[in-house]
Amino acid sequence: MTSLFETVAPRPLAEALRPERIEDVIGQAHLMAPDRPIGRMVASGRLSSMIFWGPPGTGKTTLARILAARSGMAFEQISAVMSGMADLKKALARAQGLRQQGQTKGMVLFVDEIHRWNKAQQDALLPYVEDGTIVLIGATTENPSFELNRALASRAQVMVLERLATHDLSILLERAEAHLGHTLPLEAEARTELLNMADGDGRYLLVMAEALSDLGPDAAVTPEQLHTLVQRKAHAGDKGSDIHHALLSAFQKSIRGSDVQAALYWLARLLRSGEPPRAILRRLMVMATEEVGLADPRAIEQAAACAAVFERIGEPEGLPALAQCVGYLATAIKSNAIYKAFYTAMDLAEAHGSIMPPKHLVNAPTALMKAQGFKDGYRYDHDFPHAFSGQPFFPDILSGPDRPEIYRPNARGYERDILKRLAWWDQRREN
């Protein structure tokens, strides 16, 4: 009971609209349809431990609460960010108490941001999950394969929640307007832009709707005005997060696959997510050798030149230099032959240890070395036709008919010419 002098704070719109029935949950049909994993659990009335993996604002907490209520189980929620081992032990003790009191349906323990817990904290859950004291539902925005220890991950199904589609967000916005008792004063284009600004996050959409709810009904907000009233949700892609690595992977694979349109899109996504331009330029220089190589030797020159231009000009004028480099690399003829050759050579050097070069390749600056036969028999290639002597350059153990073929050029781009030269030299070497 509140006193006469206390004011009850109004509930945020996102909390007021939190669904209480499974039928009211928006999105995630791939999990909740009758023939899908959660749909089957709801139909049977039996829950198993699971991990909800998905971006913010997709209904992880809401779904956990509804499933517990639907199954007649107690619900306990703790945050891995705010709670430690002591809080976990208290929650587990409450679960044991319920079981001892004969409440056989047990407890759902919902751990938000479960990836924040260390191995010891995660391991503490194992015996209680094993004996059925709790049904664990964990929520995470990070890949459970990397963030959860193997023992816990093997005892829980991973349910992947998807960002809300525009259609889902539109339904959510209509519910918000019904709750507020009026439509938001947005032009049609501004309404569409508001849905885009939410970036699949239902909670953030409701936060923005609440910020706009006190505008007069005749405001008729334009898209330009909308951006001054509310802020677009920051793009996902923090360094170290799954989306960060996913964006980088898509970026490099698009360049490797010679899809310049997609490569430029992923470049924009990386920049929008806050990826430092210098980090992108570093990766582009790596790709110039790893993906293009000697099929187009100018690729590495372009990458270095674009990096120099960006360093000279800075942001934002220097950013198109990144696009130029992406365009060049994505449309260049590709070969990873020299890249593979490098690692083949490294393996060969490791396998054969510290073999001395053949004596004829080693200079003899002292009388002793001359007496030992160093430099004897060396042939100065420029003194021979076509500047080619055909003498051996590998150590003796690797010379002869079984000399290694470390570099195998592909028959495309500039490497076609290299391939012809190698064949020409090999023929004369045999002769």
Side-chain angles (χ1 to χ4, degrees), residues 2-65:
T2 60
S3 74
L4 294 175
F5 303 101
E6 290 178 323
T7 302
V8 178
R11 290 198 299 167
L13 188 58
E15 186 62 30
L17 290 179
R18 188 186 293 276
E20 296 181 354
R21 303 186 310 150
I22 196 77
E23 295 79 10
D24 296 330
V25 174
I26 295 174
Q28 316 311 331
H30 65 290
L31 294 176
M32 296 192 294
D35 60 337
R36 298 306 174 94
I38 293 179
R40 291 196 298 270
M41 284 188 198
V42 170
S44 68
R46 293 191 302 274
L47 295 185
S48 59
S49 293
M50 62 192 104
I51 303 296
F52 290 159
W53 172 28
T58 52
K60 296 186 286 293
T61 304
T62 296
L63 196 52
R65 289 182 178 181

Side-chain angles (χ1 to χ4, degrees), residues 83-97:
S83 306
M85 187 67 84
D87 302 293
L88 175 59
K89 287 180 178 178
K90 290 177 183 176
L92 294 172
R94 285 191 287 272
Q96 287 180 309

Side-chain angles (χ1 to χ4, degrees), residues 303-324:
C306 289
V309 167
F310 178 81
E311 291 297 332
R312 182 74 177 267
I313 299 176
E315 296 186 57
E317 292 88 348
L319 292 175
L322 278 71
Q324 177 169 325

Side-chain angles (χ1 to χ4, degrees), residues 338-398:
I338 198 68
Y339 174 81
K340 291 166 61 178
F342 169 73
Y343 289 102
T344 299
M346 291 292 286
D347 291 342
L348 192 63
E350 174 69 20
H352 289 277
S354 303
I355 306 174
M356 277 294 291
K359 285 187 175 181
H360 69 279
L361 296 181
V362 181
N363 289 334
T366 66
L368 176 61
M369 293 184 72
K370 290 177 183 176
Q372 292 287 323
F374 287 99
K375 203 180 178 181
D376 284 356
Y378 173 69
R379 290 173 281 179
Y380 186 60
D381 284 86
H382 291 287
D383 291 341
F384 289 81
H386 309 292
F388 182 78
S389 66
Q391 65 191 313
F393 290 94
F394 269 115
D396 292 341
I397 193 173
L398 298 175

Side-chain angles (χ1 to χ4, degrees), residues 232-247:
R232 177 183 291 272
K233 182 178 183 287
H235 285 248
D238 291 341
K239 195 175 178 78
S241 70
D242 294 317
I243 186 65
H244 167 82
H245 296 295
L247 291 176

Side-chain angles (χ1 to χ4, degrees), residues 112-125:
D112 198 15
E113 304 287 343
I114 193 170
H115 62 275
R116 300 292 188 96
W117 269 353
N118 60 33
K119 184 178 185 299
Q121 290 167 309
Q122 293 182 30
D123 283 345
L125 293 165

